[in-house]
Amino acid sequence: MYWGHFPPFGFFFFLLFIGMFITMIIIWKRSCKREDHSVDHAVGILDRRLASGDITIDQYNEILTILKKDK
């Protein structure tokens, strides 16, 4: 009836648990990368606004300081 120390489906549930644990780690890692990417994207937009003349260098430095502080 039993396979070693596990009931018949115990090993299957053990593998399922390990798979869910690994999946949660992968999702967590991807969400961390996404947050870093959003700050880099914001700095890119800020650079373009400075280059096009929408903002001054003082405004650029102020906003850049805020973005870097939140990172």
Side-chain angles (χ1 to χ4, degrees), residues 30-61:
R30 287 184 180 175
S31 69
C32 289
K33 283 183 179 179
R34 194 171 303 133
E35 291 173 4
D36 292 340
H37 178 68
S38 64
V39 171
D40 294 337
H41 182 67
V43 172
I45 292 172
L46 191 61
D47 289 342
R48 280 184 278 166
R49 289 186 64 196
L50 178 65
S52 67
D54 292 341
I55 59 175
T56 65
I57 192 72
D58 294 329
Q59 292 171 327
Y60 175 85
N61 289 329

Side-chain angles (χ1 to χ4, degrees), residues 2-70:
Y2 293 103
W3 300 340
H5 297 288
F6 294 106
F9 293 104
F11 187 69
F12 171 74
F13 289 119
F14 176 72
L15 290 177
L16 184 65
F17 175 75
I18 295 297
M20 288 186 337
F21 182 73
I22 291 171
T23 302
M24 289 174 54
I25 290 174
I26 291 170
I27 290 172
W28 176 69
K29 288 284 190 178
R30 287 184 180 175
S31 69
C32 289
K33 283 183 179 179
R34 194 171 303 133
E35 291 173 4
D36 292 340
H37 178 68
S38 64
V39 171
D40 294 337
H41 182 67
V43 172
I45 292 172
L46 191 61
D47 289 342
R48 280 184 278 166
R49 289 186 64 196
L50 178 65
S52 67
D54 292 341
I55 59 175
T56 65
I57 192 72
D58 294 329
Q59 292 171 327
Y60 175 85
N61 289 329
E62 180 181 342
I63 296 170
L64 187 63
T65 304
I66 293 169
L67 287 174
K68 295 294 181 175
K69 182 175 65 172
D70 290 341

